[in-house]
Amino acid sequence: MKKLITGNEAIAYGALAAGIKVACGYPGTPSTGAIASLLTMDLPNTHVEWSTNEKVAFDLASGVAWAGHRVLCTMKMSGVNVAYDSIISTAYSGCDGGFVIYVADDPGTNAGMCEQDSRGFALMSDMPMLEPASIEEAISLTTYAFELSEAIKGPVFVRLTTPLANGFASVEIPEPAPVSQADALLIHDINRFTKAGAVICMTQHRDLIKRLAHAGELIEQKGLNRLDLGKKKGGLGIVASGVTVQYIEEALAVADKYGIDREKISVLGLRASIPTPKQQLSQLIDFCDKILVLEELEPHIERDVYILARKRGYAGQIIGKIDGTFDRVGEYGTKHVLIGLNKALSLNIPESEYKSDTTAEELAAARPITVCSGCPHRGTYMAINRAIRKLKLKKQDVIVNGDIGCTILGMNPPFNTVWNEISMGASIGLAQGFAYAGVKTPVLATIGDSTFFHGGIPSLINAIQHEANIVLIIMDNEWTAMTGMQINPGTPCDRHEKPYKHVDIARIVPALGVEHFWQINPFDQDHATDVIAEAMQLPGVKVILSRQECAIQAFRKGSKEGKKKIVRVVEENCNLCKLCISVTGCSALVPGEKVMTIDPALCRQCGMCVSVCNRNAMVMEDVK
Ligand SMILES: Cc1ncc(C[n+]2csc(CCOP(=O)(O)OP(=O)(O)O)c2C)c(N)n1
Ligand code: SF4
Ligand code: SF4
């Protein structure tokens, strides 16, 4: 059956075709769709879950693979950083069941975060990495990755980048394979599964190196990397990996018009970037006078080309990042192939041939980032700002540390509340550091609920143990919102069909021994402001749980239940001072000719504009 699917879904279908027993991961753009799609399917023999963070997911997956079953573990590139402590250790030990880690990288940072090249992690841990060049290949290579993992007895990475992970194609969907019902293995082998001792670790390291070499042999036998040598020797050799392979043919079709000799073009398209296929690369180097390397982000393959070129006494030109032709920043497109062809073949293909390539940078610059209308985070930023004013402090004298998720959007106008962001859970440690550095004013940290579960709890425990002077505001919207509304341990159970146990932050924090703990409703501005101001004046760790459901989810729920409230402009009271817009920044507020108006399609009846207006020109009323 043919179906229009994304690359993320292709990973899911490829894993089902391998008969996975478990799939787990933590959401993160652009990888989210793999687990998200599995969660929508009826899979009686496969356990699928969003885990608390990527390391938790990876450890769980290691247990499945060590017990001899097949498991898919998914994450975005930042997640590899979180899981890596375990990844390298499991790579050393190897595994018996097929173990595939799907990682999605984001050159061009369409979703924000660092432009990390996760191939570096595979290189660092001697693990094979497969890189499908199309959505179709994402299915077949994922299925194959399980076979490869079992053949080498070690975990295997499959990597996509944003255009494939979130892109669509109509492809043939394979039948799911039956899930193995074999008994779980219980291998008691401390030499494989512990790291206790130099001999154990060094032996495992040797085994790991052998496994990667074996993977290289199997990949070669399978013919994953395709070398098409031109008819004539001495031309240009192009090496590309993953999605970049797709751009070559398109660029060559353009270059045809500028008189290239196709017989003098050879192409090595890699579907397995690690280990690099040394034999095929050597063949290409021996056959061609010039080599063009096309790979996004880091010049990993290119470095191997240089090493092999040196070994083989190659004197030709190597075009890539190391010679300065391409940048290590941003994603590639057909444009990059054409620039490479221009340089290699001294062509004059004009920019007009590729000017339609819009860069992620241009798109990002055009895209405003703000919270949705009715977002509960708006109430929290406003209350923080009001509390700062209430204590007669200036905003620039107070540091509010930020974290990952929609919660960071308070960095933007009109709030200008949050000032920094490192990684999930880091706001609390940052705040502790600022406090120790001697900041005299109250130090605040803000964090979302999912981020609190992911990485915030150990930092909070640390702050409690060391009695740091910080105010932590947990902005609990009951969902992992920014990545598209995944559930997390704090999501109330009635919000999802699949059964799970609710873990309530309101019970965790006091249980950790926090003496000053409050729960606020961010839409109750007076109370929220008073509580934050009070917390800012007390010593030690103060925690405020600001709880209100994400506006998008609340609206979906409310739409089913029927609208109960409406916000109305009292026209005779409105003098169009625009205070409501300048404080809330809500997109549902639209200045009219004489008075403010409210876009009913956008208004979520949060009441924030009502709380701001000092002329009683906004009122919240019951729907009659
Ligand atoms: C290590 C890591 N994993 C995943 C992500 C992707 N990510 C970005 S925002 C976010 C959701 C945060 O949810 P929450 O803390 O509840 O805040 P919300 O967006 O709901 O306000 C996630 C998972 C990331 N940035 N880093
Ligand atoms: S998705 Fe939810 S939490 Fe995120 S900005 Fe919109 S309303 Fe706020
Ligand atoms: S218009 Fe007012 S009540 Fe409606 S969503 Fe915006 S701030 Fe909230």
Side-chain angles (χ1 to χ4, degrees), residues 16 19 23 29 57 88 94 108 111 167 221 246 259 262 326 398 489 512 543 602:
L16 290 177
T29 313
I88 179 84
Q221 279 165 25
Q246 274 195 21
R262 287 273 195 138
F326 301 120
V398 177
L512 294 176
V543 180
L602 289 179

mmCIF file with all atom_site columns, all heavy atoms in Angstrom, residues 16 19 23 29 57 88 94 108 111 167 221 246 259 262 326 398 489 512 543 602:
data_model
loop_
_atom_site.group_PDB
_atom_site.id
_atom_site.type_symbol
_atom_site.label_atom_id
_atom_site.label_alt_id
_atom_site.label_comp_id
_atom_site.label_asym_id
_atom_site.label_entity_id
_atom_site.label_seq_id
_atom_site.pdbx_PDB_ins_code
_atom_site.Cartn_x
_atom_site.Cartn_y
_atom_site.Cartn_z
_atom_site.occupancy
_atom_site.B_iso_or_equiv
_atom_site.pdbx_formal_charge
_atom_site.auth_seq_id
_atom_site.auth_comp_id
_atom_site.auth_asym_id
_atom_site.auth_atom_id
_atom_site.pdbx_PDB_model_num
ATOM 1   N N   . LEU A 1 16  ? 8.788  -0.967 12.458  1.00 0.00 ? 16  LEU A N   1
ATOM 2   C CA  . LEU A 1 16  ? 7.713  -1.970 12.574  1.00 0.00 ? 16  LEU A CA  1
ATOM 3   C C   . LEU A 1 16  ? 7.979  -3.145 11.642  1.00 0.00 ? 16  LEU A C   1
ATOM 4   O O   . LEU A 1 16  ? 7.684  -4.295 11.978  1.00 0.00 ? 16  LEU A O   1
ATOM 5   C CB  . LEU A 1 16  ? 6.358  -1.334 12.252  1.00 0.00 ? 16  LEU A CB  1
ATOM 6   C CG  . LEU A 1 16  ? 5.822  -0.328 13.293  1.00 0.00 ? 16  LEU A CG  1
ATOM 7   C CD1 . LEU A 1 16  ? 4.515  0.288  12.825  1.00 0.00 ? 16  LEU A CD1 1
ATOM 8   C CD2 . LEU A 1 16  ? 5.635  -0.997 14.661  1.00 0.00 ? 16  LEU A CD2 1
ATOM 9   N N   . GLY A 1 19  ? 9.890  -5.611 13.307  1.00 0.00 ? 19  GLY A N   1
ATOM 10  C CA  . GLY A 1 19  ? 9.261  -6.308 14.434  1.00 0.00 ? 19  GLY A CA  1
ATOM 11  C C   . GLY A 1 19  ? 9.719  -5.813 15.793  1.00 0.00 ? 19  GLY A C   1
ATOM 12  O O   . GLY A 1 19  ? 9.979  -6.617 16.694  1.00 0.00 ? 19  GLY A O   1
ATOM 13  N N   . ALA A 1 23  ? 9.499  0.850  21.490  1.00 0.00 ? 23  ALA A N   1
ATOM 14  C CA  . ALA A 1 23  ? 9.973  2.109  20.902  1.00 0.00 ? 23  ALA A CA  1
ATOM 15  C C   . ALA A 1 23  ? 9.849  3.167  21.987  1.00 0.00 ? 23  ALA A C   1
ATOM 16  O O   . ALA A 1 23  ? 8.823  3.255  22.664  1.00 0.00 ? 23  ALA A O   1
ATOM 17  C CB  . ALA A 1 23  ? 9.128  2.498  19.693  1.00 0.00 ? 23  ALA A CB  1
ATOM 18  N N   . THR A 1 29  ? 12.135 18.465 18.050  1.00 0.00 ? 29  THR A N   1
ATOM 19  C CA  . THR A 1 29  ? 12.081 18.713 16.615  1.00 0.00 ? 29  THR A CA  1
ATOM 20  C C   . THR A 1 29  ? 13.492 18.585 16.065  1.00 0.00 ? 29  THR A C   1
ATOM 21  O O   . THR A 1 29  ? 14.405 19.123 16.688  1.00 0.00 ? 29  THR A O   1
ATOM 22  C CB  . THR A 1 29  ? 11.560 20.148 16.363  1.00 0.00 ? 29  THR A CB  1
ATOM 23  O OG1 . THR A 1 29  ? 10.411 20.323 17.193  1.00 0.00 ? 29  THR A OG1 1
ATOM 24  C CG2 . THR A 1 29  ? 11.211 20.388 14.919  1.00 0.00 ? 29  THR A CG2 1
ATOM 25  N N   . ALA A 1 57  ? 15.259 7.082  28.207  1.00 0.00 ? 57  ALA A N   1
ATOM 26  C CA  . ALA A 1 57  ? 14.812 6.291  27.046  1.00 0.00 ? 57  ALA A CA  1
ATOM 27  C C   . ALA A 1 57  ? 15.918 5.343  26.593  1.00 0.00 ? 57  ALA A C   1
ATOM 28  O O   . ALA A 1 57  ? 15.682 4.160  26.330  1.00 0.00 ? 57  ALA A O   1
ATOM 29  C CB  . ALA A 1 57  ? 14.414 7.219  25.904  1.00 0.00 ? 57  ALA A CB  1
ATOM 30  N N   . ILE A 1 88  ? 27.819 5.652  25.015  1.00 0.00 ? 88  ILE A N   1
ATOM 31  C CA  . ILE A 1 88  ? 29.193 5.146  24.847  1.00 0.00 ? 88  ILE A CA  1
ATOM 32  C C   . ILE A 1 88  ? 29.379 3.856  25.648  1.00 0.00 ? 88  ILE A C   1
ATOM 33  O O   . ILE A 1 88  ? 30.038 2.923  25.205  1.00 0.00 ? 88  ILE A O   1
ATOM 34  C CB  . ILE A 1 88  ? 30.251 6.235  25.228  1.00 0.00 ? 88  ILE A CB  1
ATOM 35  C CG1 . ILE A 1 88  ? 31.700 5.736  25.097  1.00 0.00 ? 88  ILE A CG1 1
ATOM 36  C CG2 . ILE A 1 88  ? 30.073 6.784  26.610  1.00 0.00 ? 88  ILE A CG2 1
ATOM 37  C CD1 . ILE A 1 88  ? 32.255 5.838  23.731  1.00 0.00 ? 88  ILE A CD1 1
ATOM 38  N N   . GLY A 1 94  ? 28.055 -3.610 23.763  1.00 0.00 ? 94  GLY A N   1
ATOM 39  C CA  . GLY A 1 94  ? 27.336 -4.259 22.670  1.00 0.00 ? 94  GLY A CA  1
ATOM 40  C C   . GLY A 1 94  ? 25.977 -4.725 23.158  1.00 0.00 ? 94  GLY A C   1
ATOM 41  O O   . GLY A 1 94  ? 25.567 -4.435 24.297  1.00 0.00 ? 94  GLY A O   1
ATOM 42  N N   . GLY A 1 108 ? 20.863 24.349 9.814   1.00 0.00 ? 108 GLY A N   1
ATOM 43  C CA  . GLY A 1 108 ? 19.988 25.472 9.469   1.00 0.00 ? 108 GLY A CA  1
ATOM 44  C C   . GLY A 1 108 ? 19.076 25.843 10.621  1.00 0.00 ? 108 GLY A C   1
ATOM 45  O O   . GLY A 1 108 ? 18.325 26.806 10.545  1.00 0.00 ? 108 GLY A O   1
ATOM 46  N N   . ALA A 1 111 ? 14.526 24.653 14.059  1.00 0.00 ? 111 ALA A N   1
ATOM 47  C CA  . ALA A 1 111 ? 13.815 24.569 15.339  1.00 0.00 ? 111 ALA A CA  1
ATOM 48  C C   . ALA A 1 111 ? 14.604 25.210 16.477  1.00 0.00 ? 111 ALA A C   1
ATOM 49  O O   . ALA A 1 111 ? 14.323 24.970 17.631  1.00 0.00 ? 111 ALA A O   1
ATOM 50  C CB  . ALA A 1 111 ? 13.540 23.108 15.681  1.00 0.00 ? 111 ALA A CB  1
ATOM 51  N N   . GLY A 1 167 ? 9.909  16.161 5.833   1.00 0.00 ? 167 GLY A N   1
ATOM 52  C CA  . GLY A 1 167 ? 9.423  16.212 4.447   1.00 0.00 ? 167 GLY A CA  1
ATOM 53  C C   . GLY A 1 167 ? 8.445  15.078 4.175   1.00 0.00 ? 167 GLY A C   1
ATOM 54  O O   . GLY A 1 167 ? 8.324  14.144 4.964   1.00 0.00 ? 167 GLY A O   1
ATOM 55  N N   . GLN A 1 221 ? 29.290 -5.307 1.617   1.00 0.00 ? 221 GLN A N   1
ATOM 56  C CA  . GLN A 1 221 ? 28.640 -6.474 0.966   1.00 0.00 ? 221 GLN A CA  1
ATOM 57  C C   . GLN A 1 221 ? 27.220 -6.133 0.539   1.00 0.00 ? 221 GLN A C   1
ATOM 58  O O   . GLN A 1 221 ? 26.745 -6.546 -0.503  1.00 0.00 ? 221 GLN A O   1
ATOM 59  C CB  . GLN A 1 221 ? 28.557 -7.642 1.948   1.00 0.00 ? 221 GLN A CB  1
ATOM 60  C CG  . GLN A 1 221 ? 29.847 -8.433 2.076   1.00 0.00 ? 221 GLN A CG  1
ATOM 61  C CD  . GLN A 1 221 ? 29.807 -9.330 3.322   1.00 0.00 ? 221 GLN A CD  1
ATOM 62  O OE1 . GLN A 1 221 ? 28.756 -9.712 3.802   1.00 0.00 ? 221 GLN A OE1 1
ATOM 63  N NE2 . GLN A 1 221 ? 30.985 -9.649 3.842   1.00 0.00 ? 221 GLN A NE2 1
ATOM 64  N N   . GLN A 1 246 ? 20.593 13.794 -2.830  1.00 0.00 ? 246 GLN A N   1
ATOM 65  C CA  . GLN A 1 246 ? 19.429 14.155 -3.660  1.00 0.00 ? 246 GLN A CA  1
ATOM 66  C C   . GLN A 1 246 ? 19.667 15.386 -4.519  1.00 0.00 ? 246 GLN A C   1
ATOM 67  O O   . GLN A 1 246 ? 19.020 15.574 -5.531  1.00 0.00 ? 246 GLN A O   1
ATOM 68  C CB  . GLN A 1 246 ? 18.239 14.463 -2.752  1.00 0.00 ? 246 GLN A CB  1
ATOM 69  C CG  . GLN A 1 246 ? 17.440 13.278 -2.345  1.00 0.00 ? 246 GLN A CG  1
ATOM 70  C CD  . GLN A 1 246 ? 16.091 13.713 -1.763  1.00 0.00 ? 246 GLN A CD  1
ATOM 71  O OE1 . GLN A 1 246 ? 15.622 14.813 -2.000  1.00 0.00 ? 246 GLN A OE1 1
ATOM 72  N NE2 . GLN A 1 246 ? 15.482 12.836 -1.000  1.00 0.00 ? 246 GLN A NE2 1
ATOM 73  N N   . GLY A 1 259 ? 27.492 23.109 -20.318 1.00 0.00 ? 259 GLY A N   1
ATOM 74  C CA  . GLY A 1 259 ? 28.475 22.335 -21.065 1.00 0.00 ? 259 GLY A CA  1
ATOM 75  C C   . GLY A 1 259 ? 29.363 21.421 -20.247 1.00 0.00 ? 259 GLY A C   1
ATOM 76  O O   . GLY A 1 259 ? 30.557 21.306 -20.542 1.00 0.00 ? 259 GLY A O   1
ATOM 77  N N   . ARG A 1 262 ? 29.333 14.842 -18.829 1.00 0.00 ? 262 ARG A N   1
ATOM 78  C CA  . ARG A 1 262 ? 28.844 13.892 -17.810 1.00 0.00 ? 262 ARG A CA  1
ATOM 79  C C   . ARG A 1 262 ? 29.739 12.654 -17.691 1.00 0.00 ? 262 ARG A C   1
ATOM 80  O O   . ARG A 1 262 ? 29.780 11.996 -16.669 1.00 0.00 ? 262 ARG A O   1
ATOM 81  C CB  . ARG A 1 262 ? 27.423 13.448 -18.151 1.00 0.00 ? 262 ARG A CB  1
ATOM 82  C CG  . ARG A 1 262 ? 26.383 14.493 -17.907 1.00 0.00 ? 262 ARG A CG  1
ATOM 83  C CD  . ARG A 1 262 ? 25.916 14.424 -16.457 1.00 0.00 ? 262 ARG A CD  1
ATOM 84  N NE  . ARG A 1 262 ? 24.680 15.167 -16.311 1.00 0.00 ? 262 ARG A NE  1
ATOM 85  C CZ  . ARG A 1 262 ? 23.637 14.780 -15.599 1.00 0.00 ? 262 ARG A CZ  1
ATOM 86  N NH1 . ARG A 1 262 ? 23.673 13.652 -14.950 1.00 0.00 ? 262 ARG A NH1 1
ATOM 87  N NH2 . ARG A 1 262 ? 22.566 15.517 -15.522 1.00 0.00 ? 262 ARG A NH2 1
ATOM 88  N N   . PHE A 1 326 ? 32.990 25.961 1.244   1.00 0.00 ? 326 PHE A N   1
ATOM 89  C CA  . PHE A 1 326 ? 31.691 25.922 1.937   1.00 0.00 ? 326 PHE A CA  1
ATOM 90  C C   . PHE A 1 326 ? 31.860 26.263 3.412   1.00 0.00 ? 326 PHE A C   1
ATOM 91  O O   . PHE A 1 326 ? 32.930 26.096 3.993   1.00 0.00 ? 326 PHE A O   1
ATOM 92  C CB  . PHE A 1 326 ? 31.050 24.528 1.810   1.00 0.00 ? 326 PHE A CB  1
ATOM 93  C CG  . PHE A 1 326 ? 30.821 24.091 0.395   1.00 0.00 ? 326 PHE A CG  1
ATOM 94  C CD1 . PHE A 1 326 ? 31.427 22.934 -0.088  1.00 0.00 ? 326 PHE A CD1 1
ATOM 95  C CD2 . PHE A 1 326 ? 30.006 24.829 -0.450  1.00 0.00 ? 326 PHE A CD2 1
ATOM 96  C CE1 . PHE A 1 326 ? 31.220 22.520 -1.389  1.00 0.00 ? 326 PHE A CE1 1
ATOM 97  C CE2 . PHE A 1 326 ? 29.793 24.421 -1.757  1.00 0.00 ? 326 PHE A CE2 1
ATOM 98  C CZ  . PHE A 1 326 ? 30.403 23.268 -2.238  1.00 0.00 ? 326 PHE A CZ  1
ATOM 99  N N   . VAL A 1 398 ? 17.626 42.681 37.877  1.00 0.00 ? 398 VAL A N   1
ATOM 100 C CA  . VAL A 1 398 ? 17.188 41.343 38.284  1.00 0.00 ? 398 VAL A CA  1
ATOM 101 C C   . VAL A 1 398 ? 17.481 40.373 37.141  1.00 0.00 ? 398 VAL A C   1
ATOM 102 O O   . VAL A 1 398 ? 17.207 40.672 35.983  1.00 0.00 ? 398 VAL A O   1
ATOM 103 C CB  . VAL A 1 398 ? 15.667 41.336 38.582  1.00 0.00 ? 398 VAL A CB  1
ATOM 104 C CG1 . VAL A 1 398 ? 15.192 39.927 38.936  1.00 0.00 ? 398 VAL A CG1 1
ATOM 105 C CG2 . VAL A 1 398 ? 15.347 42.304 39.711  1.00 0.00 ? 398 VAL A CG2 1
ATOM 106 N N   . PRO A 1 489 ? 5.126  13.244 32.514  1.00 0.00 ? 489 PRO A N   1
ATOM 107 C CA  . PRO A 1 489 ? 4.599  12.593 33.725  1.00 0.00 ? 489 PRO A CA  1
ATOM 108 C C   . PRO A 1 489 ? 3.576  13.446 34.475  1.00 0.00 ? 489 PRO A C   1
ATOM 109 O O   . PRO A 1 489 ? 2.749  12.917 35.213  1.00 0.00 ? 489 PRO A O   1
ATOM 110 C CB  . PRO A 1 489 ? 5.852  12.383 34.588  1.00 0.00 ? 489 PRO A CB  1
ATOM 111 C CG  . PRO A 1 489 ? 6.981  12.372 33.615  1.00 0.00 ? 489 PRO A CG  1
ATOM 112 C CD  . PRO A 1 489 ? 6.603  13.284 32.504  1.00 0.00 ? 489 PRO A CD  1
ATOM 113 N N   . LEU A 1 512 ? 10.567 17.151 48.557  1.00 0.00 ? 512 LEU A N   1
ATOM 114 C CA  . LEU A 1 512 ? 12.022 17.339 48.524  1.00 0.00 ? 512 LEU A CA  1
ATOM 115 C C   . LEU A 1 512 ? 12.500 18.188 49.704  1.00 0.00 ? 512 LEU A C   1
ATOM 116 O O   . LEU A 1 512 ? 13.698 18.392 49.886  1.00 0.00 ? 512 LEU A O   1
ATOM 117 C CB  . LEU A 1 512 ? 12.442 18.011 47.208  1.00 0.00 ? 512 LEU A CB  1
ATOM 118 C CG  . LEU A 1 512 ? 12.234 17.202 45.923  1.00 0.00 ? 512 LEU A CG  1
ATOM 119 C CD1 . LEU A 1 512 ? 12.615 18.037 44.703  1.00 0.00 ? 512 LEU A CD1 1
ATOM 120 C CD2 . LEU A 1 512 ? 13.060 15.924 45.951  1.00 0.00 ? 512 LEU A CD2 1
ATOM 121 N N   . VAL A 1 543 ? 9.953  27.870 45.752  1.00 0.00 ? 543 VAL A N   1
ATOM 122 C CA  . VAL A 1 543 ? 9.438  27.302 44.498  1.00 0.00 ? 543 VAL A CA  1
ATOM 123 C C   . VAL A 1 543 ? 7.973  27.699 44.325  1.00 0.00 ? 543 VAL A C   1
ATOM 124 O O   . VAL A 1 543 ? 7.163  27.549 45.240  1.00 0.00 ? 543 VAL A O   1
ATOM 125 C CB  . VAL A 1 543 ? 9.577  25.761 44.464  1.00 0.00 ? 543 VAL A CB  1
ATOM 126 C CG1 . VAL A 1 543 ? 9.035  25.207 43.146  1.00 0.00 ? 543 VAL A CG1 1
ATOM 127 C CG2 . VAL A 1 543 ? 11.032 25.344 44.629  1.00 0.00 ? 543 VAL A CG2 1
ATOM 128 N N   . LEU A 1 602 ? -9.170 34.463 17.662  1.00 0.00 ? 602 LEU A N   1
ATOM 129 C CA  . LEU A 1 602 ? -7.904 34.246 18.377  1.00 0.00 ? 602 LEU A CA  1
ATOM 130 C C   . LEU A 1 602 ? -8.047 34.327 19.893  1.00 0.00 ? 602 LEU A C   1
ATOM 131 O O   . LEU A 1 602 ? -7.239 33.750 20.627  1.00 0.00 ? 602 LEU A O   1
ATOM 132 C CB  . LEU A 1 602 ? -6.865 35.285 17.930  1.00 0.00 ? 602 LEU A CB  1
ATOM 133 C CG  . LEU A 1 602 ? -6.302 35.138 16.519  1.00 0.00 ? 602 LEU A CG  1
ATOM 134 C CD1 . LEU A 1 602 ? -5.302 36.252 16.235  1.00 0.00 ? 602 LEU A CD1 1
ATOM 135 C CD2 . LEU A 1 602 ? -5.605 33.789 16.364  1.00 0.00 ? 602 LEU A CD2 1
#
